[in-house]
């Protein structure tokens, strides 16, 4: 047998109580091993009790693995979000604990230090990602925005390779709540840690929007169940694992039992844990992306169309009358949270009318996102300018001029180890502005700006039937960027999310 560390001591006692010695049967040997290690091992155990059925599902998803037949869950331990007790009111602001609220807190002006385990190696990390992914899907308008919000959470981690048990051990000795931060753990880990005492009280909150739990399934190799007499021994083992004695040992170790056993001092009613998704390959891919994420040094200029057509009324997915500009504001606020601390960012609005002296205005100058501009942090200034963004009625669209100026502005900021981008959000085409130029002239000038040593890819979202999707796709091809089309109002948020995910993936290569 192989059992996860959290349950191995109880399983060892149960296995020792199973009669053996008849018909050549040897005693049952129990090995303690993290499920990720068991999953990677060439030789699989006869009986496996991982800390989550997600590992079992992934084993079945791999070609050539031994086939397991899973019995009922042996025990459970919900994932909780741990923080100093005094910090909880600020973190949840009187509302139920949630992954969405945590994502908002870590993207705020004074974020708590958030640490999480690697989901490819740790059950707490894997189940936390599953919970956060579920929560983001509930809070987002579409899959693209959900992925964007999950990626935003990842960019804010202070430690992406934390060990919950080790973090709790450090928290026991901490004299300053600020040094503890926020982190996920199993309810059992926190329960056991509290027994050792803490200088600072900790609270474990059950996230209502994405509840998950370690579920400890008893999995037996299918061929073993078909054998005799070893199959009889397996049946006796399973019976012993579900015996009254073993259940008492489980609750005494801080685990819940399916029959209603709850460890002392823990609430009986908690949010029901979500099952492991059927899309195991998708879960594996999300965990891999999360684990392989690298913070990059980037320089980003965002150019937002402020021409009159952005004031055009539209109806959103909820049937509400709004404008293109308002929908863009909603999407852009999610984007501002994505940038990591190694980002330089700036914001332009482009549009020309009779009073315009230039094709674009600098709303936020390019500079470190953690730096200050106009007496406030640049990230906060960016959010503020987006919230007050208002296109000028009757203004035209100097698209070509803005792209050329943007590339020229960002080109000197590039260099080895630095990713430099221009991002354009527009619903128009360069055909009536006083800054207009012939398409071939524009493309010729764009090509002349290219520098292999300092490339500046242009990423764009084309919104509405009036957008010049053809030229922006050409620009993306020439510069190494991506162009995304949003045909309907409801597509805008998804398109902006896809754009920034594509930019992030391209930059990380």
């Amino acid at each position: 047998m192989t059992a996860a560390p959290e349950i191995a001591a109880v399983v060892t006692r149960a296995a020792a109580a199973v009669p053996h010695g008849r018909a050549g049967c040897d005693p049952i040997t129990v090995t303690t091993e993290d499920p990720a290690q068991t999953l990677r091992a060439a030789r699989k155990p006869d009986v496996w009790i991982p800390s989550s059925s997600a590992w079992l599902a992934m084993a079945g998803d791999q070609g050539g693995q031994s086939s397991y037949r899973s019995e009922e869950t042996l025990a459970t331990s919900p994932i909780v979000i741990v923080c100093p007790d005094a910090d909880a009111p600020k973190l949840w602001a009187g509302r139920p604990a949630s992954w969405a609220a945590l994502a908002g807190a870590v993207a705020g002006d004074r974020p708590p230090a958030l640490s999480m385990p690697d989901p490819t190696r740790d059950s707490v990390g894997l189940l936390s990602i599953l919970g956060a992914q579920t929560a983001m899907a509930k809070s987002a308008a579409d899959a693209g925005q959900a992925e964007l919000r999950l990626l935003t959470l990842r960019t804010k981690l202070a430690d992406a390779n934390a060990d919950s048990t080790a973090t709790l051990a450090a928290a026991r000795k901490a004299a300053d709540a600020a040094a503890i931060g926020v982190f996920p753990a199993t309810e059992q880990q926190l329960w056991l840690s509290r027994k050792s005492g803490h200088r600072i009280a900790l609270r474990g909150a059950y996230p209502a929007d994405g509840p998950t739990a370690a579920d400890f399934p008893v999995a037996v190799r299918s061929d073993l169940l078909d054998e005799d007499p070893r199959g009889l021994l397996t049946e006796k083992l399973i019976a012993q694992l579900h015996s009254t004695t073993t259940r008492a040992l489980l609750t005494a170790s801080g685990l819940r039992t399916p029959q209603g056993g709850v460890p002392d001092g823990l609430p009986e009613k908690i949010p029901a844990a979500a099952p492991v998704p059927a899309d195991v390959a998708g879960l594996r891919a999300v965990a891999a992306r999360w684990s392989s994420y690298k913070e990059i040094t980037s320089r980003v200029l965002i150019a937002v169309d402020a021409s009159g057509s952005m004031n055009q009324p539209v109806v959103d997915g909820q049937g509400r009358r709004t404008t293109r500009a308002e929908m863009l504001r909603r999407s852009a606020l999610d984007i501002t949270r994505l940038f990591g601390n190694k980002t330089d960012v700036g914001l332009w609005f482009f549009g020309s009318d009779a009073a315009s002296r230039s094709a674009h205005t600098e709303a936020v100058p390019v500079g470190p996102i953690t730096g200050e501009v106009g007496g406030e942090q640049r990230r906060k200034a960016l959010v503020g300018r987006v919230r007050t963004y208002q296109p000028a009625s009757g203004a035209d669209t100097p698209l070509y001029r803005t792209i050329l100026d943007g590339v020229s502005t960002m080109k000197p900021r590039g260099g080895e180890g630095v990713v430099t981008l221009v991002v354009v959000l527009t619903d128009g085409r360069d055909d009536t502005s006083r800054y207009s130029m012939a398409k071939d002239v524009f493309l010729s000038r764009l090509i002349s700006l290219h520098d292999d040593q300092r490339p500046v890819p242009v990423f764009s979202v084309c919104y509405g039937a009036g957008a010049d999707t053809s030229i922006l796709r050409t620009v993306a091809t020439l510069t190494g960027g991506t162009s995304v089309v949003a045909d309907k109002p409801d597509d805008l948020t998804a398109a902006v999310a896809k754009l920034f995910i594509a930019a992030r993936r391209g930059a990380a290569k």
Side-chain angles (χ1 to χ4, degrees), residues 266-334:
L266 294 179
E268 291 190 9
K269 293 185 178 181
I270 57 174
V276 173
D279 181 16
V280 178
L283 177 59
R284 188 196 298 274
V286 170
R289 284 200 299 271
W290 182 282
S291 179
S292 62
Y293 172 89
K294 294 180 181 179
E295 187 172 5
I296 57 175
T297 301
S298 56
R299 311 283 185 259
V300 182
L301 173 62
I302 306 172
V304 178
D305 192 336
S307 63
S309 58
M310 291 298 291
N311 289 319
Q312 180 177 324
V314 294
V315 178
D316 67 15
Q318 286 70 47
R320 298 172 298 190
R321 288 184 62 81
T322 183
T323 65
R324 293 177 176 179
E326 176 55 32
M327 295 197 72
L328 182 61
R329 275 192 288 269
R330 297 178 199 171
S331 303
L333 288 175
D334 277 326

Side-chain angles (χ1 to χ4, degrees), residues 142-479:
D142 51 72
Q145 190 183 55
E147 187 175 358
L148 186 69
R149 290 183 179 178
L150 189 63
L151 179 60
T152 300
L153 187 65
R154 175 62 182 84
T155 67
K156 308 305 177 185
L157 291 188
D159 184 354
N161 293 285
D163 177 276
S164 300
T165 300
T167 304
L168 282 164
R172 283 199 296 270
K173 303 175 184 178
D176 181 7
I180 297 174
V182 182
F183 57 95
T186 62
E187 180 187 64
Q188 180 201 33
Q189 289 172 326
L190 180 58
W191 186 84
L192 291 171
S193 182
R194 281 173 172 162
K195 287 186 170 295
S196 300
H198 292 92
R199 298 177 67 179
I200 295 174
L202 299 181
R203 181 180 300 187
Y206 303 87
D209 57 350
T212 55
D215 58 355
F216 303 97
V218 181
V220 184
R221 274 203 357 245
S222 298
D223 58 339
L224 183 62
L225 285 173
D226 295 334
E227 292 180 10
D228 185 44
R230 295 180 70 191
L232 296 175
L233 184 63
T234 304
E235 290 177 8
K236 292 178 180 179
L237 168 62
I238 292 172
Q240 186 63 40
L241 287 171
H242 292 292
S243 68
T244 302
T245 301
T246 302
R247 291 174 192 168
L249 291 173
L250 288 169
T251 55
S253 70
L255 294 169
R256 296 172 183 259
T257 64
Q259 295 75 25
V262 180
D264 292 340
L266 294 179
E268 291 190 9
K269 293 185 178 181
I270 57 174
V276 173
D279 181 16
V280 178
L283 177 59
R284 188 196 298 274
V286 170
R289 284 200 299 271
W290 182 282
S291 179
S292 62
Y293 172 89
K294 294 180 181 179
E295 187 172 5
I296 57 175
T297 301
S298 56
R299 311 283 185 259
V300 182
L301 173 62
I302 306 172
V304 178
D305 192 336
S307 63
S309 58
M310 291 298 291
N311 289 319
Q312 180 177 324
V314 294
V315 178
D316 67 15
Q318 286 70 47
R320 298 172 298 190
R321 288 184 62 81
T322 183
T323 65
R324 293 177 176 179
E326 176 55 32
M327 295 197 72
L328 182 61
R329 275 192 288 269
R330 297 178 199 171
S331 303
L333 288 175
D334 277 326
I335 294 167
T336 60
R337 296 173 176 172
L338 178 63
F339 301 120
N341 289 338
K342 291 185 178 180
T343 303
D344 280 15
V345 64
L347 176 66
W348 287 1
F349 295 130
F350 65 96
S352 65
D353 55 19
S356 298
R357 295 184 179 180
S358 64
H360 43 78
T361 58
E362 185 180 66
V364 179
V366 178
I369 199 163
T370 55
E372 288 195 355
V373 55
E376 61 182 345
Q377 189 188 62
R378 183 172 269 97
R379 189 190 296 275
K380 189 174 182 180
L382 197 67
V383 172
R385 303 305 182 273
V386 168
R387 281 178 174 161
T388 58
Y389 151 71
Q390 184 60 55
S393 297
D396 293 322
T397 311
L399 180 61
Y400 294 171
R401 181 74 270 161
T402 299
I403 292 175
L404 293 174
D405 288 350
V407 172
S408 296
T409 298
M410 299 306 291
K411 184 177 174 180
R413 298 176 180 272
E416 187 175 355
V418 177
V419 177
T420 310
L421 309 172
V422 171
V423 177
V424 179
L425 309 177
T426 183
D427 73 337
R429 57 183 61 237
D430 195 289
D431 55 4
T432 58
S433 165
R434 61 165 137 166
Y435 297 96
S436 295
M437 65 187 75
K439 182 168 68 173
D440 57 345
V441 173
F442 163 62
L443 294 177
S444 177
R445 291 182 182 179
L446 183 64
I447 292 170
S448 69
L449 287 172
H450 181 73
D451 182 347
D452 287 336
Q453 301 303 314
R454 295 174 180 270
V456 183
V458 178
F459 292 77
S460 62
V461 168
C462 318
Y463 175 54
D468 195 342
T469 58
S470 175
I471 192 65
L472 288 171
R473 284 174 180 151
T474 300
V475 168
T477 300
L478 289 173
T479 62

Side-chain angles (χ1 to χ4, degrees), residues 34-59:
D34 287 321
Q37 292 178 271
T38 308
L39 185 65
R40 293 192 297 266
R43 184 177 179 181
K44 297 297 184 287
D46 294 330
V47 181
W48 184 22
I49 307 179
S51 44
S52 172
S53 54
W55 299 109
L56 195 60
M58 285 191 281

